[in-house]
Amino acid sequence: MTTSALRTPTGGQGRRGRAGDDRGSGDRPEHLRKLLAAGASAACTATGIGLAVVTMLVLAGWIAAPHFGLGLIGVLRTAAVLWLVGHHVTVQVSGAGQIGMLPLGLVALPGALLWRAGRAVVRGHHVTGLREATAVALAVAIPYAALSFALAVASRSGLAAASIPQAVLASFVIAFVAAGFGAARALAPWAQLGALISARTRSVLAGTAAALAVLIAGGAMTTALALAGDIQRFNDVYRLLDPGVVGAGLLLLAQFAYLPNAVIWAVAYMLGPGFAVGAGTVAAPTGSVLGPMPAFPLLAALPAGAHGGGPGWLGALMLAFPYLAGAVGGALVVRTAPTTVLESAPIRGFCCGLLTGLAIGVGASFAGGPLGDGRMAAVGPSPWQVAVVASLEVGIAAAITAGLVNWWYVRKRWDAQAGLTGRPVASHPTGPPPEEPGQRADDPAPWPPGPLARTDGDDGDDGHVIYMDRWAEDERANDGGGSQPRRKPGGPSAIPPSNVVPEARQ
């Protein structure tokens, strides 16, 4: 049902698609050319809108605080460089060095534009499956990367120069991912798309998403508490900069753009490895060693002191957040796809932790970077340390929680089944005994998959109950090998009529 819903659109579009398919494959090259043209047009539209927004912000700053020698051409070049910075492209600045710690919040602007570009191409053309949605993503990503290459070449100057290889690669990846998700979402809802993958894989992905959500929520809470605790230092930095009205607005936008970086730094702090703000510095729960900081208000939230600041219970709560994330992820793994194989749930829970650690490690690699060639060449958390620690902490907690929750779930179902059938509870609730009708000991489906057997003495002729005499063969052998064994009053071994079942049970 899900596959057919993805491949067969409703309404007139589906009728046009079937008519085109009946004509053969002659229309496919024409359809492909239209798809490529629409993708190129959507890529140009996304680039143009994004550049227009960034140019307006740069122009506002240039008018509020004009610089000698920077004309309108310089404003356009600066806007192009900032647009590439929004794709996480490293910039070489004259007199400062390489700037690689870039705001992750700026990626939201091109990501949203490319998302809408993918949706627009799917809705404007006859796209009927995930394979064609992938073609839409490529049709948008390739010309988008070409436009970024042109912008990187045209924006180079003696003041700043963006990395051309990074501009092409980062733009292609962001465009392919954002446009691909937008195109897939235009085909069907997320629940319908998720039904295309297996239940076990879907459970691991759901647990990973839940663990990441808990970690990010904890990082955001930690950042907010740190800013609230050092509000005086925050105001002092603002007064030191004295940016004015327009400058204060632009500075506020810059801090919002760097806020995702701060959240990932806080997650690295909660995990234990912490982060660095320059060579020879560290900020960790056990203590912080910091040097001179740039005059940026958001840096006022950095912990100060050789020992961890704040009350002890707050530090313990922060260190417990990764284990809480693992517990939530492991519980959701079992909630999505329970199993009667008890060792399967902990394995999937640990896989959830591995994926969570990988995602946090990738985020940490993009959240840091150099801020010049001097002491600030090393800024941010260590990606591999954050990935390893997050995989272990979240993975172990998720594995233990998934095993316990799955055991409780199976035991509860087994108790409910035993209560209905009147049979005693098994001592090892990995599933029903082999004698249970319609059930196997190695059945991986959630228990119980089969129907319940009748145990009461209800009347009715809707079926038969089979009674097996386990001593029938012995009686036949003792009787001299006769074909008919002697009957004992225990119960027949044949199938009696339904009207004598109550009597036989007596």
PDB file of all heavy atoms in Angstrom, residues 233-248:
ATOM      1  N   ARG A 233      28.608  40.022  32.768  1.00  0.00           N
ATOM      2  CA  ARG A 233      29.698  39.988  31.784  1.00  0.00           C
ATOM      3  C   ARG A 233      29.166  40.189  30.366  1.00  0.00           C
ATOM      4  O   ARG A 233      29.805  40.828  29.533  1.00  0.00           O
ATOM      5  CB  ARG A 233      30.440  38.648  31.873  1.00  0.00           C
ATOM      6  CG  ARG A 233      31.208  38.447  33.171  1.00  0.00           C
ATOM      7  CD  ARG A 233      31.723  37.029  33.284  1.00  0.00           C
ATOM      8  NE  ARG A 233      32.548  36.661  32.129  1.00  0.00           N
ATOM      9  CZ  ARG A 233      32.921  35.405  31.868  1.00  0.00           C
ATOM     10  NH1 ARG A 233      32.520  34.411  32.665  1.00  0.00           N
ATOM     11  NH2 ARG A 233      33.684  35.152  30.832  1.00  0.00           N
ATOM     12  N   PHE A 234      27.987  39.654  30.092  1.00  0.00           N
ATOM     13  CA  PHE A 234      27.353  39.824  28.780  1.00  0.00           C
ATOM     14  C   PHE A 234      27.114  41.307  28.500  1.00  0.00           C
ATOM     15  O   PHE A 234      27.424  41.810  27.403  1.00  0.00           O
ATOM     16  CB  PHE A 234      26.041  39.035  28.762  1.00  0.00           C
ATOM     17  CG  PHE A 234      25.366  38.968  27.424  1.00  0.00           C
ATOM     18  CD1 PHE A 234      25.735  38.022  26.484  1.00  0.00           C
ATOM     19  CD2 PHE A 234      24.351  39.863  27.115  1.00  0.00           C
ATOM     20  CE1 PHE A 234      25.096  37.969  25.258  1.00  0.00           C
ATOM     21  CE2 PHE A 234      23.716  39.812  25.892  1.00  0.00           C
ATOM     22  CZ  PHE A 234      24.082  38.864  24.960  1.00  0.00           C
ATOM     23  N   ASN A 235      26.569  42.031  29.449  1.00  0.00           N
ATOM     24  CA  ASN A 235      26.317  43.466  29.275  1.00  0.00           C
ATOM     25  C   ASN A 235      27.623  44.264  29.181  1.00  0.00           C
ATOM     26  O   ASN A 235      27.692  45.259  28.444  1.00  0.00           O
ATOM     27  CB  ASN A 235      25.461  43.982  30.426  1.00  0.00           C
ATOM     28  CG  ASN A 235      24.065  43.379  30.421  1.00  0.00           C
ATOM     29  OD1 ASN A 235      23.538  43.028  29.356  1.00  0.00           O
ATOM     30  ND2 ASN A 235      23.466  43.247  31.605  1.00  0.00           N
ATOM     31  N   ASP A 236      28.635  43.839  29.915  1.00  0.00           N
ATOM     32  CA  ASP A 236      29.918  44.540  29.850  1.00  0.00           C
ATOM     33  C   ASP A 236      30.533  44.453  28.455  1.00  0.00           C
ATOM     34  O   ASP A 236      31.109  45.425  27.949  1.00  0.00           O
ATOM     35  CB  ASP A 236      30.886  43.961  30.884  1.00  0.00           C
ATOM     36  CG  ASP A 236      30.457  44.262  32.316  1.00  0.00           C
ATOM     37  OD1 ASP A 236      29.632  45.192  32.495  1.00  0.00           O
ATOM     38  OD2 ASP A 236      30.930  43.554  33.232  1.00  0.00           O
ATOM     39  N   VAL A 237      30.428  43.307  27.813  1.00  0.00           N
ATOM     40  CA  VAL A 237      30.971  43.160  26.455  1.00  0.00           C
ATOM     41  C   VAL A 237      30.192  44.041  25.484  1.00  0.00           C
ATOM     42  O   VAL A 237      30.773  44.677  24.580  1.00  0.00           O
ATOM     43  CB  VAL A 237      30.935  41.693  26.027  1.00  0.00           C
ATOM     44  CG1 VAL A 237      31.385  41.541  24.579  1.00  0.00           C
ATOM     45  CG2 VAL A 237      31.819  40.840  26.935  1.00  0.00           C
ATOM     46  N   TYR A 238      28.892  44.130  25.646  1.00  0.00           N
ATOM     47  CA  TYR A 238      28.095  44.996  24.772  1.00  0.00           C
ATOM     48  C   TYR A 238      28.500  46.457  24.932  1.00  0.00           C
ATOM     49  O   TYR A 238      28.626  47.201  23.948  1.00  0.00           O
ATOM     50  CB  TYR A 238      26.603  44.826  25.087  1.00  0.00           C
ATOM     51  CG  TYR A 238      25.853  44.037  24.043  1.00  0.00           C
ATOM     52  CD1 TYR A 238      25.526  42.701  24.239  1.00  0.00           C
ATOM     53  CD2 TYR A 238      25.468  44.627  22.844  1.00  0.00           C
ATOM     54  CE1 TYR A 238      24.837  41.980  23.294  1.00  0.00           C
ATOM     55  CE2 TYR A 238      24.782  43.912  21.878  1.00  0.00           C
ATOM     56  CZ  TYR A 238      24.470  42.591  22.114  1.00  0.00           C
ATOM     57  OH  TYR A 238      23.795  41.875  21.160  1.00  0.00           O
ATOM     58  N   ARG A 239      28.702  46.890  26.179  1.00  0.00           N
ATOM     59  CA  ARG A 239      29.099  48.277  26.395  1.00  0.00           C
ATOM     60  C   ARG A 239      30.510  48.539  25.851  1.00  0.00           C
ATOM     61  O   ARG A 239      30.796  49.630  25.366  1.00  0.00           O
ATOM     62  CB  ARG A 239      29.035  48.597  27.892  1.00  0.00           C
ATOM     63  CG  ARG A 239      27.624  48.795  28.417  1.00  0.00           C
ATOM     64  CD  ARG A 239      27.636  49.443  29.790  1.00  0.00           C
ATOM     65  NE  ARG A 239      28.270  48.560  30.780  1.00  0.00           N
ATOM     66  CZ  ARG A 239      27.580  47.710  31.534  1.00  0.00           C
ATOM     67  NH1 ARG A 239      26.268  47.615  31.407  1.00  0.00           N
ATOM     68  NH2 ARG A 239      28.215  46.957  32.416  1.00  0.00           N
ATOM     69  N   LEU A 240      31.367  47.520  25.922  1.00  0.00           N
ATOM     70  CA  LEU A 240      32.710  47.692  25.388  1.00  0.00           C
ATOM     71  C   LEU A 240      32.710  47.852  23.875  1.00  0.00           C
ATOM     72  O   LEU A 240      33.446  48.669  23.313  1.00  0.00           O
ATOM     73  CB  LEU A 240      33.576  46.493  25.798  1.00  0.00           C
ATOM     74  CG  LEU A 240      35.012  46.458  25.275  1.00  0.00           C
ATOM     75  CD1 LEU A 240      35.810  47.637  25.843  1.00  0.00           C
ATOM     76  CD2 LEU A 240      35.673  45.137  25.621  1.00  0.00           C
ATOM     77  N   LEU A 241      31.866  47.107  23.193  1.00  0.00           N
ATOM     78  CA  LEU A 241      31.804  47.195  21.731  1.00  0.00           C
ATOM     79  C   LEU A 241      31.104  48.468  21.267  1.00  0.00           C
ATOM     80  O   LEU A 241      31.482  49.036  20.235  1.00  0.00           O
ATOM     81  CB  LEU A 241      31.078  45.962  21.170  1.00  0.00           C
ATOM     82  CG  LEU A 241      31.806  44.622  21.337  1.00  0.00           C
ATOM     83  CD1 LEU A 241      30.909  43.487  20.858  1.00  0.00           C
ATOM     84  CD2 LEU A 241      33.113  44.622  20.559  1.00  0.00           C
ATOM     85  N   ASP A 242      30.063  48.886  21.974  1.00  0.00           N
ATOM     86  CA  ASP A 242      29.286  50.076  21.611  1.00  0.00           C
ATOM     87  C   ASP A 242      28.893  50.040  20.143  1.00  0.00           C
ATOM     88  O   ASP A 242      29.281  50.900  19.346  1.00  0.00           O
ATOM     89  CB  ASP A 242      30.082  51.344  21.924  1.00  0.00           C
ATOM     90  CG  ASP A 242      29.216  52.588  21.846  1.00  0.00           C
ATOM     91  OD1 ASP A 242      27.974  52.445  21.889  1.00  0.00           O
ATOM     92  OD2 ASP A 242      29.779  53.691  21.726  1.00  0.00           O
ATOM     93  N   PRO A 243      28.092  49.057  19.705  1.00  0.00           N
ATOM     94  CA  PRO A 243      27.832  48.887  18.273  1.00  0.00           C
ATOM     95  C   PRO A 243      26.817  49.862  17.692  1.00  0.00           C
ATOM     96  O   PRO A 243      26.710  49.971  16.464  1.00  0.00           O
ATOM     97  CB  PRO A 243      27.298  47.454  18.197  1.00  0.00           C
ATOM     98  CG  PRO A 243      26.654  47.233  19.522  1.00  0.00           C
ATOM     99  CD  PRO A 243      27.421  48.031  20.514  1.00  0.00           C
ATOM    100  N   GLY A 244      26.054  50.577  18.504  1.00  0.00           N
ATOM    101  CA  GLY A 244      25.006  51.427  17.966  1.00  0.00           C
ATOM    102  C   GLY A 244      23.731  50.629  17.718  1.00  0.00           C
ATOM    103  O   GLY A 244      23.645  49.417  17.995  1.00  0.00           O
ATOM    104  N   VAL A 245      22.735  51.297  17.155  1.00  0.00           N
ATOM    105  CA  VAL A 245      21.430  50.653  16.972  1.00  0.00           C
ATOM    106  C   VAL A 245      21.506  49.583  15.890  1.00  0.00           C
ATOM    107  O   VAL A 245      21.144  48.419  16.098  1.00  0.00           O
ATOM    108  CB  VAL A 245      20.356  51.702  16.631  1.00  0.00           C
ATOM    109  CG1 VAL A 245      19.018  51.021  16.384  1.00  0.00           C
ATOM    110  CG2 VAL A 245      20.229  52.724  17.754  1.00  0.00           C
ATOM    111  N   VAL A 246      21.990  49.985  14.692  1.00  0.00           N
ATOM    112  CA  VAL A 246      22.064  49.023  13.590  1.00  0.00           C
ATOM    113  C   VAL A 246      23.090  47.940  13.909  1.00  0.00           C
ATOM    114  O   VAL A 246      22.869  46.746  13.673  1.00  0.00           O
ATOM    115  CB  VAL A 246      22.411  49.742  12.275  1.00  0.00           C
ATOM    116  CG1 VAL A 246      22.533  48.741  11.134  1.00  0.00           C
ATOM    117  CG2 VAL A 246      21.343  50.781  11.952  1.00  0.00           C
ATOM    118  N   GLY A 247      24.215  48.335  14.437  1.00  0.00           N
ATOM    119  CA  GLY A 247      25.238  47.356  14.783  1.00  0.00           C
ATOM    120  C   GLY A 247      24.781  46.382  15.847  1.00  0.00           C
ATOM    121  O   GLY A 247      25.137  45.192  15.827  1.00  0.00           O
ATOM    122  N   ALA A 248      23.976  46.861  16.806  1.00  0.00           N
ATOM    123  CA  ALA A 248      23.454  45.962  17.841  1.00  0.00           C
ATOM    124  C   ALA A 248      22.525  44.915  17.235  1.00  0.00           C
ATOM    125  O   ALA A 248      22.543  43.744  17.636  1.00  0.00           O
ATOM    126  CB  ALA A 248      22.720  46.774  18.904  1.00  0.00           C
TER     127      ALA A 248
END
